C-alpha cells in the first residue's frame, strides 16, 4: 500500500528537512473536506493551535507547529520501520495532514465548536483522528465529536493532573482543568470505562478525588507506576476502556513526563514518566483497541518553555518526544489493523529473547589479542 499511495517518497526522498511545507512527517496536506472525502485516508492529523483554556503559562497554541517541525527530523521517506515492533504504519495506513482548526482568537466556545466540526469530518469518512493540541480543554471538543457517532466511549487519560474540576480557575467552565467534568456531562462516558494514569503533586485536593471515586473512576499515581509497573497498569486501563463500549478515546498530556524529558509544557511537575516508560506505555496501549473505532489527542506541548527549541524550525526535545509517541501509536494501530499482535522485527542471528542475544551475560569467550 505504501508505494501505491505515497509514490516514490515511500522508500526514499532526497529532499533536505528544511525544504518544503512542514506538515506532520511531511505527509500530503489536505485542505478541504471534499478532498478528504475523495482521498478517504485511514488517518488524518488535525492541529488545534489553542491555549485560551490555559490557567498558568500560555504557549500551547504553537504546540501543533512545533510537533510538526520535530516530525520532519529525519526527513522522509515515509517508511518508518519500527525496530522493536517490526512494523511500518505507512505500509498499512494512508495518512494525511488535515491541517489546523481555524481558531477564533479569544472565543473559547466558538473555537471548541470548530474543533468538534473538524474532528467530526474525519470521523464521518471513517478515518482515525490524531489530534495535536493545544491545551487540554480541546479534549472536551474532540470527545464531543466522537460522541456524535458513538453512544458509549471508553477513555484513558494520561496526565499529571486529574482535570476533573467542576469549574476551572476563577469559575471558567471550559478551562483545561475541567474537561473531564464537561465530558461526563455529555453522557457518553461511564466511570467504569475511565482510567487516569500518572497524577502526582498537590492538585487536586481530597474532595475532587472523592468525587472521582464516587464515579467509579480508576487512577494510578506515579507511585503506583513505580510499584505496579507499566505493563499491569496498561492492561487494566485497556480492559476498562474496552468494557462494553462503542469506541475508545486516549488523551495524552505531555506533562505526564518528568520535566527532564519534556520541559516544554505549561505546568511541569517533578517525578513524572521517563521517555522510555512512556514509549512502553504507548506501545502496549496502541495494540489494545479497534483502530476503526478510536481517536487520540496529544496536548499541552508548549515550545516556548522547551529548553532546546528557540524557533520551532525543527522542534525541541518535548515536541520530538510527542512526535515519536504518535508514530509509535500508529505502529501499534497498524498491527491491530492487520489482525496481528506482534510484527516481524529483524533480530540478530542468535537472538534468544527480548533484549538478549545468545551468549548475553555469560561472560566473554574471546581472548584479548596480544601484541607479538
Amino acid at each position: 500500500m505504501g508505494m501505491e499511495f505515497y509514490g516514490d517518497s515511500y522508500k526514499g526522498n532526497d529532499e533536505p528537512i528544511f525544504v518544503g511545507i512542514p506538515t506532520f512527517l511531511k505527509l500530503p496536506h489536505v485542505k478541504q473536506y471534499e478532498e478528504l472525502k475523495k482521498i478517504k485516508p485511514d488517518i488524518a492529523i488535525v492541529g488545534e493551535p489553542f491555549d485560551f483554556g490555559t490557567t498558568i503559562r500560555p504557549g500551547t497554541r504553537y504546540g501543533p507547529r512545533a510537533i510538526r517541525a520535530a516530525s520532519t527530523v529525519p526527513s522522509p521517506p515515509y517508511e518508518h520501520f519500527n525496530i522493536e515492533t517490526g512494523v511500518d504504519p505507512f505500509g498499512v495506513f494512508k495518512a494525511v495532514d488535515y491541517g489546523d482548526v481555524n481558531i477564533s482568537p479569544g472565543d473559547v466556545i466558538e473555537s471548541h465548536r470548530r474543533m468538534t466540526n473538524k474532528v467530526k469530518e474525519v470521523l464521518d469518512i471513517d478515518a482515525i483522528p490524531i489530534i495535536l493540541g493545544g491545551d487540554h480543554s480541546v479534549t472536551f471538543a474532540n470527545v464531543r465529536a466522537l460522541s456524535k457517532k458513538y453512544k458509549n466511549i471508553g477513555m484513558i487519560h494520561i496526565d499529571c493532573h486529574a482535570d476533573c474540576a467542576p469549574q476551572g480557575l476563577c469559575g471558567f467552565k471550559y478551562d483545561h482543568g475541567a474537561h473531564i467534568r464537561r465530558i461526563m456531562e455529555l453522557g457518553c462516558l461511564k466511570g467504569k470505562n475511565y482510567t487516569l494514569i500518572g497524577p502526582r503533586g498537590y492538585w487536586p485536593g481530597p474532595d475532587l478525588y472523592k468525587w472521582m471515586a464516587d464515579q467509579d473512576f480508576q487512577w494510578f499515581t506515579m507511585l503506583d507506576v513505580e510499584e505496579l509497573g507499566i505493563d499491569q497498569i496498561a492492561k487494566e486501563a485497556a480492559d476498562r476502556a474496552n468494557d462494553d463500549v462503542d469506541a475508545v478515546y486516549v488523551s495524552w498530556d505531555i506533562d505526564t513526563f518528568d520535566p527532564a524529558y519534556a520541559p516544554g509544557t505549561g505546568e511541569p511537575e517533578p517525578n513524572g514518566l521517563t521517555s522510555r516508560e512512556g514509549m512502553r506505555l504507548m506501545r502496549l496501549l496502541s495494540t489494545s483497541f479497534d483502530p476503526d473505532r478510536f481517536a487520540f489527542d496529544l496536548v499541552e506541548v508548549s515550545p516556548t518553555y522547551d529548553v532546546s527549541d528557540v524557533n520551532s524550525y525543527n522542534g525541541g526535545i518535548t515536541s520530538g518526544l510527542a512526535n515519536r509517541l504518535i508514530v509509535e501509536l500508529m505502529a501499534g494501530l497498524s498491527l491491530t489493523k492487520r489482525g496481528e499482535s506482534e510484527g516481524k522485527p529483524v533480530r540478530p542471528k542468535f537472538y534468544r529473547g527480548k533484549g538478549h542475544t545468545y551468549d548475553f551475560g555469560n561472560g566473554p569467550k574471546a581472548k584479548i589479542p596480544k601484541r607479538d
Side-chain angles (χ1 to χ4, degrees):
M1 198 284 297
M3 291 291 289
E4 180 182 341
F5 182 68
Y6 302 105
D8 291 340
S9 294
Y10 175 65
K11 283 288 188 181
N13 195 329
D14 293 330
E15 182 180 274
I17 65 170
F18 50 83
V19 173
I21 305 300
T23 61
F24 186 78
L25 294 174
K26 291 195 175 182
L27 290 169
H29 184 197
V30 175
K31 296 182 179 181
Q32 303 297 329
Y33 181 53
E34 291 303 317
E35 185 182 1
L36 190 76
K37 288 195 294 184
K38 183 178 180 180
I39 295 174
K40 283 191 69 66
D42 303 298
I43 292 174
I45 306 295
V46 175
E48 294 179 341
F50 176 92
D51 59 9
F52 313 146
T54 302
T55 54
I56 297 182
R57 303 196 302 182
T60 54
R61 66 181 65 184
Y62 293 107
R65 181 175 295 180
I67 295 170
R68 286 184 172 107
S71 77
T72 62
V73 182
S75 59
Y78 293 120
E79 183 181 40
H80 281 66
F81 177 76
N82 186 301
I83 61 173
E84 299 291 350
T85 60
V87 67
D88 166 34
F90 300 98
V92 177
F93 291 129
K94 294 188 296 183
V96 301
D97 191 322
Y98 193 31
D100 287 343
V101 175
N102 186 17
I103 300 302
S104 177
D107 191 335
V108 174
I109 305 301
E110 174 61 19
S111 295
H112 279 180
R113 187 189 67 81
R114 295 180 186 182
M115 294 175 205
T116 297
N117 289 344
K118 193 171 183 77
V119 173
K120 186 176 181 297
E121 289 176 347
V122 176
L123 293 166
D124 284 346
I125 63 161
D126 297 322
I128 303 169
I130 294 180
I131 302 145
L132 316 178
D135 72 53
H136 219 150
S137 71
V138 305
T139 298
F140 161 69
N142 300 332
V143 174
R144 183 170 60 183
L146 195 63
S147 72
K148 293 179 182 294
K149 184 170 184 177
Y150 301 108
K151 182 179 179 181
N152 296 309
I153 296 170
M155 185 170 184
I156 298 176
H157 175 199
I158 305 162
D159 201 328
C160 171
H161 308 101
D163 294 353
C164 291
Q167 301 279 346
L169 191 67
C170 302
F172 181 48
K173 189 176 180 180
Y174 294 100
D175 90 356
H176 64 166
H179 63 92
I180 296 298
R181 191 71 70 110
R182 303 289 82 81
I183 290 170
M184 290 295 287
E185 292 168 355
L186 293 172
C188 60
L189 174 65
K190 296 181 177 69
K192 72 183 184 78
N193 298 127
Y194 170 92
T195 302
L196 169 66
I197 301 173
R200 60 193 188 275
Y202 301 94
W203 186 89
D207 290 346
L208 195 48
Y209 277 113
K210 177 62 167 59
W211 178 86
M212 293 167 63
D214 290 342
Q215 310 309 307
D216 196 22
F217 282 8
Q218 174 66 288
W219 63 90
F220 296 98
T221 68
M222 281 306 302
L223 179 61
D224 294 323
V225 172
E226 180 182 342
E227 293 182 344
L228 297 174
I230 293 294
D231 294 41
Q232 184 173 338
I233 289 171
K235 183 180 185 306
E236 179 164 344
D239 285 346
R240 289 173 61 90
N242 283 321
D243 184 13
D244 194 26
V245 300
D246 304 309
V248 172
Y249 194 96
V250 175
S251 181
W252 196 309
D253 189 324
I254 203 71
D255 72 14
T256 313
F257 291 96
D258 192 276
Y261 301 91
T265 190
E267 299 187 29
E269 184 76 42
N271 192 36
L273 293 174
T274 66
S275 56
R276 182 179 298 138
E277 289 171 329
M279 293 295 281
R280 183 171 185 83
L281 178 59
M282 178 62 88
R283 189 167 299 151
L284 292 168
L285 292 178
S286 66
T287 54
S288 301
F289 311 112
D290 181 350
D292 295 326
R293 295 168 175 262
F294 179 82
F296 174 85
D297 68 36
L298 197 151
V299 299
E300 296 288 352
V301 171
S302 188
T304 308
Y305 310 107
D306 204 344
V307 293
S308 64
D309 188 346
V310 295
N311 50 38
S312 284
Y313 289 155
N314 57 9
I317 59 175
T318 307
S319 49
L321 175 57
N323 153 57
R324 291 305 172 95
L325 282 170
I326 293 168
V327 177
E328 194 73 39
L329 167 70
M330 291 193 289
L333 291 173
S334 64
L335 277 175
T336 310
K337 185 72 173 179
R338 296 195 310 193
E340 301 173 1
S341 58
E342 295 184 2
K344 297 178 180 178
V346 180
R347 297 298 191 191
K349 184 177 180 181
F350 296 110
Y351 186 73
R352 189 171 170 178
K354 294 182 178 179
H356 302 283
T357 50
Y358 185 71
D359 287 315
F360 183 84
N362 293 330
K365 287 185 174 181
K367 294 182 180 179
I368 299 174
K370 295 183 179 180
R371 295 182 181 180
D372 295 333

